[in-house]
Amino acid sequence: MIAPHSFGRILTPDMLIARFDALKLWEERYRQIILLARELPPLPPELKQQKTELAGCENQVWLGGELLEDGTMHYYGDSDGRIVKGLLAILLTGAEGKTPQQIIDNDPLTLFQQLNILEQLSSSRASGLNSLAAGIKSIAKNYL
């Protein structure tokens, strides 16, 4: 597995929902996003290549994926921005361990709606998040 992390397999979407449900103020949710960024290990330099760099984000963002032997996807990524990296961690939690078809059939941003995060994002962050979600789907399509 390239660039292993705990998101999606150890830290599940249900666990994230429970974490965020306890947070009532946006500032608390914002801090939680930053804490998630700290939990996502940095990518090694050899994985931060032009082919994994995503356009459409204010910060530099790298996103890659691979199909595992069990037929599920493993995604990995990094960003030089803390908030973007935290949003990426949430996205990885929702996409990790699903088949390519499951990823294509479902909206990668559903977890963000469940966490009540989308409505608080600035338009530029929301646009960057949409680029990340499109990247997740694009990688999945490569494995169909």
Side-chain angles (χ1 to χ4, degrees):
M1 182 181 292
I2 298 172
H5 55 76
S6 63
F7 295 95
R9 296 190 187 266
I10 296 170
L11 181 61
T12 65
D14 288 340
M15 293 167 75
L16 265 188
I17 291 169
R19 270 193 201 184
F20 276 81
D21 277 351
L23 308 173
K24 301 305 175 202
L25 300 175
W26 169 241
E27 292 79 15
E28 295 171 323
R29 291 171 183 273
Y30 187 80
R31 269 184 253 137
Q32 184 61 47
I33 292 169
I34 292 170
L35 290 173
L36 290 171
R38 291 181 185 159
E39 291 180 43
L40 184 61
L43 284 181
E46 62 270 14
L47 293 176
K48 292 182 176 181
Q49 302 172 4
Q50 187 174 359
K51 69 179 183 177
T52 58
E53 190 170 359
L54 286 181
C57 298
E58 286 182 11
N59 300 97
Q60 282 190 294
V61 180
W62 299 270
L63 179 66
E66 64 180 326
L67 185 65
L68 300 178
E69 288 182 16
D70 66 0
T72 64
M73 293 297 301
H74 166 64
Y75 289 96
Y76 51 90
D78 201 353
S79 176
D80 61 358
R82 290 183 309 171
I83 297 298
V84 174
K85 188 169 180 175
L87 296 173
L88 176 60
I90 294 168
L91 192 61
L92 295 178
T93 302
E96 185 74 15
K98 292 190 167 85
T99 66
Q101 192 63 57
Q102 287 172 318
I103 291 172
I104 290 165
D105 290 345
N106 295 290
D107 182 0
L109 300 180
T110 299
L111 183 55
F112 289 88
Q113 294 166 343
Q114 294 169 320
L115 300 176
N116 295 316
I117 293 175
L118 285 179
E119 64 276 354
Q120 296 296 327
L121 297 178
S122 67
S123 60
S124 63
R125 283 232 165 85
S127 174
L129 185 57
N130 284 325
S131 293
L132 283 170
I136 290 281
K137 284 194 173 236
S138 176
I139 292 169
K141 285 178 185 174
N142 290 334
Y143 290 101
L144 281 181

